[in-house]
Amino acid sequence: MMRAAVITRVLRMAPDMVTLYFEDEECSKASPGQYAMIWIPGGEEIPMSLSTINPGGESSLTVRDVGEATKTLCDMKEGDKVGVRGPFGRGYTVSGDSPLLVAGGTGVASLAPLAEAFVERGVKPTFILGAKTESDLAFRDRLENLLGDSVVLATDDGSCGFEGFSSQCAVKLMDEGSPDIIYTCGPELMMVSVFDEAESRGIPVQASLERYIKCAHGLCGSCAIGPYRVCMDGPVFDSEKLREVREDFGSRKMDPTGKIVGVDH
Amino acid sequence: MSQLSLSVDIAGLRLRNPTMNAAGVLGISASLLKRVYEGGAGAVVTKSLGPAPRSGHFNPTMVIVEGGVLNAMGLPNPGAEYFVSAIKALRAEGVPVVASFFGASIEDFRDVAELLSEAGADALEVNVSCPNVQEELGMLGADCLNTEKVTAAVKEVSKPPVFVKLSPNVTDIAEIAKAAEMGGADAITAVNTLKGMAIDADFKRPILTNVTGGLSGPALKSVALRCVWDIVQAVDLPVVGCGGVANWRDAVEFMLAGASAVEVGTAIRERGFGVYKEITTGIEGYLEANGFGSIKDIVGLAQEAA
């Protein structure tokens, strides 16, 4: 069922990125990595990762302005309402003693609640927080307060921390540290590179994939990747499934008509 | 005791069991359809394919309502020509393919039917009944004359059996079924979704971008069952039941009304891909417990009791 949720506060993260906080009982019980369908009344409905999951408390979405619907969300103010369906999909499975979390861009939205879930279990993960430039590093304070110096910053332009992509930084940590599992969310080309490097080292991966989600109930098929539906079989896929869809992962996806097109970021 | 048979023959389309996915459900990708077949379906049904690629409507395109699901996807599809390779790939793996298709005109229907027939589809299902594109494409299945004309045009160019899928959104579905029979249909699929809508009280506006949508799921079952019942009385054609089938009991009820097979869609949401196997196993148990040897022994049995 569709529910109306009131925006309780808005946190500006970067020039083109905001986090919208709201209260919704069902979203507050979600697992890290799950998503909700967010409807802008009179406009479109889009899938969004839950960037805060706080049992009994507030939830949040972290939105980058990349199109019409996300622009409307970025302009929202306290007191505005959105429609919410969900949470949907399979999130991350919390496992391992020495996890490495690799976030690129807004991928941090889905991985920040996972980092909190690990800490709750007494495990402190290493967290690569990567973005194009320093001002795009979202949730830096939240993660540094949680994980201290286990947060590794990376920027494409070298304005802060490691200079290069999150995936390049991840390779360095795979070799220097000894992660027993890797979680990743961000641009698909970054994730596929993390996956391939982890595969060659025998490290299991869980990656959160993105496709064109329409129904979110596993019925319409628009979000297919191989024999799977990102909306319901995913969005998080483990190494075994990633191997199965490796031909498509990082390479091919369906456009809204169902035609196969290339993955370009 | 003789071996139970779950195989069915629908106007020459011979299937290992009487279950298929409903058109529109998952049929946009060959890999997903293969998973439907591996889940136990007797055949798979493609997304309704049109003469050109369509993106369909913008979200929200689906909302859960009391007793079912309301959707207005808007016939997204890559175009019939583009999907030919998927149909061939599925058939090469031994998966029987029913190609669902639509058009805006009788000429469209004929052209697409010819293409899909030549692609090797095992059957064609004519979608003259989508409730979500009426403003753009009209609904030819709303009246007898157009239904007969479309069916006749499709039949002229089709090698495999032609199923005509009807809408429950008509005054008398039996009359439309007779028109399809007059046009030369080999079978009838009944029914497409029932037109409905959802309004959100907080936002004070319709939820679906298309405003109205088609209702499927348990809430549709009794309507669909009545449609199958009426059609079976009106025409001398096999009927494929569709609408709210979620388990073997539902399937058996459709068969007792006169359906030779069933299509299952919305139930995948809760039951997963294994729903086909579950239904088939359940039907097998029912046949055995009641002393029947095959599906055809129960098709239309309730008609005799009425």
Side-chain angles (χ1 to χ4, degrees):
Chain A
M1 297 276 175
M2 176 83 72
R3 312 176 292 281
V6 181
I7 306 297
T8 50
R9 62 191 175 101
V10 178
L11 189 62
R12 198 148 288 280
M13 320 287 292
D16 60 349
M17 201 196 298
V18 301
T19 293
L20 303 174
Y21 292 87
F22 60 97
E23 277 179 26
D24 179 74
E25 198 189 330
E26 289 178 56
C27 287
S28 80
K29 293 186 280 198
S31 318
Q34 283 193 302
Y35 66 97
M37 293 300 286
I38 303 299
W39 179 43
I40 301 139
E44 242 201 295
E45 182 196 45
I46 54 173
M48 294 293 311
S49 293
L50 292 166
S51 58
T52 302
I53 301 169
N54 192 355
E58 64 187 354
S59 304
S60 76
L61 316 165
T62 299
V63 194
R64 184 192 285 279
D65 173 6
V66 292
E68 205 175 309
T70 49
K71 173 157 189 16
T72 311
L73 287 173
C74 282
D75 290 340
M76 285 207 159
K77 292 172 192 62
E78 192 182 312
D80 286 344
K81 281 186 210 163
V82 292
V84 179
R85 293 194 290 142
F88 293 116
R90 293 189 189 184
Y92 303 102
T93 308
V94 182
S95 76
D97 300 317
S98 174
L100 172 62
L101 279 52
V102 186
T106 49
V108 62
S110 120
L111 289 170
L114 176 67
E116 285 159 354
F118 268 113
V119 169
E120 217 165 276
R121 294 192 177 203
V123 174
K124 192 196 261 191
T126 301
F127 198 114
I128 298 176
L129 177 61
K132 284 203 171 70
T133 188
E134 183 171 14
S135 61
D136 285 347
L137 292 168
F139 293 124
R140 184 175 167 180
D141 291 347
R142 171 180 172 190
L143 291 167
E144 286 181 340
N145 288 339
L146 181 75
L147 305 170
D149 58 9
S150 294
V151 177
V152 180
L153 304 172
T155 51
D156 298 356
D157 64 0
S159 54
C160 181
F162 177 88
E163 179 176 351
F165 299 135
S166 302
S167 46
Q168 295 167 321
C169 184
V171 171
K172 186 166 162 265
L173 294 192
M174 282 182 221
D175 293 335
E176 286 173 8
S178 51
D180 57 2
I181 184 162
I182 296 174
Y183 297 85
T184 183
C185 184
E188 192 159 321
L189 298 182
M190 180 276 281
M191 291 194 288
V192 80
S193 158
V194 168
F195 173 66
D196 287 346
E197 295 288 349
E199 279 288 272
S200 69
R201 292 165 176 80
I203 307 168
V205 170
Q206 292 183 25
S208 177
L209 306 192
E210 205 173 297
R211 285 295 181 269
Y212 185 53
I213 292 181
K214 280 190 96 168
C215 78
H217 286 288
L219 292 175
C220 77
S222 73
C223 62
I225 179 163
Y228 301 111
R229 302 155 300 174
V230 167
C231 76
M232 210 165 169
D233 301 311
V236 176
F237 292 87
D238 62 16
S239 293
E240 195 185 331
K241 289 199 172 102
L242 293 170
R243 261 172 238 137
E244 256 184 274
V245 301
R246 182 60 187 83
E247 268 187 23
D248 294 318
F249 180 30
S251 307
R252 303 186 305 193
K253 60 179 183 179
M254 285 195 300
D255 74 6
T257 72
K259 281 193 176 180
I260 306 293
V261 295
V263 169
D264 54 9
H265 69 279
Chain B
M1 212 177 96
S2 66
Q3 191 67 35
L4 269 179
S5 170
L6 288 167
S7 64
V8 288
D9 185 323
I10 311 154
L13 174 69
R14 204 168 163 73
L15 304 179
R16 62 181 180 178
N17 72 57
T19 66
M20 292 171 258
N21 63 302
V25 175
L26 302 172
I28 199 157
S29 121
S31 302
L32 284 179
L33 285 176
K34 182 149 183 268
R35 198 170 157 199
V36 167
Y37 189 70
E38 286 165 353
V44 300
V45 183
T46 68
K47 244 330 171 214
S48 289
L49 301 162
R54 276 178 67 89
S55 297
H57 299 313
F58 285 116
N59 268 354
T61 49
M62 187 176 286
V63 62
I64 305 298
V65 295
E66 298 80 359
V69 169
L70 200 59
N71 94 81
M73 302 303 300
L75 296 175
N77 81 97
E81 202 172 345
Y82 186 89
F83 210 70
V84 164
S85 59
I87 292 171
K88 288 186 170 163
L90 284 162
R91 296 195 71 249
E93 299 203 55
V95 181
V97 179
V98 178
S100 171
F101 68 104
F102 69 94
S105 64
I106 289 168
E107 292 71 35
D108 277 356
F109 272 100
R110 190 190 49 224
D111 293 348
V112 177
E114 191 166 16
L115 200 128
L116 296 170
S117 172
E118 278 167 14
D122 296 277
L124 301 184
E125 188 175 83
V126 190
N127 182 0
V128 284
S129 47
C130 179
N132 299 325
V133 291
Q134 269 166 305
E135 278 174 27
E136 280 170 87
L137 305 178
M139 191 175 88
L140 291 171
D143 79 74
C144 292
L145 189 60
N146 279 327
T147 302
E148 185 180 338
K149 280 185 185 165
V150 168
T151 309
V154 166
K155 272 302 287 180
E156 220 172 87
V157 295
S158 303
K159 282 172 284 187
V162 171
F163 303 178
V164 179
K165 185 166 181 178
L166 300 185
S167 170
N169 307 302
V170 293
T171 309
D172 186 352
I173 199 169
E175 288 302 313
I176 309 279
K178 279 189 214 165
E181 187 177 41
M182 290 287 290
D186 298 296
I188 302 289
T189 303
V191 288
N192 209 313
T193 53
L194 187 61
K195 199 167 175 176
M197 75 179 294
I199 292 177
D200 187 278
D202 291 307
F203 295 115
K204 306 169 189 73
R205 60 166 69 233
I207 296 175
L208 297 173
T209 302
N210 190 52
V211 180
T212 61
L215 178 68
S216 62
L220 179 59
K221 189 185 120 181
S222 54
V223 174
L225 203 55
R226 183 270 303 168
C227 288
V228 168
W229 182 270
D230 287 351
I231 291 165
V232 167
Q233 293 188 348
V235 299
D236 191 21
L237 294 175
V239 175
V240 176
C242 180
V245 178
N247 54 51
W248 68 265
R249 254 192 117 80
D250 296 333
V252 164
E253 288 165 22
F254 273 87
M255 287 164 182
L256 293 171
S260 302
V262 290
E263 291 182 353
V264 182
T266 307
I268 288 180
R269 184 171 79 90
E270 286 177 351
R271 315 295 306 170
F273 288 79
V275 70
Y276 300 100
K277 176 82 182 145
E278 276 176 29
I279 289 175
T280 306
T281 307
I283 294 173
E284 189 175 14
Y286 176 83
L287 294 178
E288 192 168 27
N290 288 275
F292 297 111
S294 68
I295 302 281
K296 67 177 186 327
D297 293 344
I298 63 167
V299 172
L301 210 55
Q303 296 273 1
E304 293 164 25

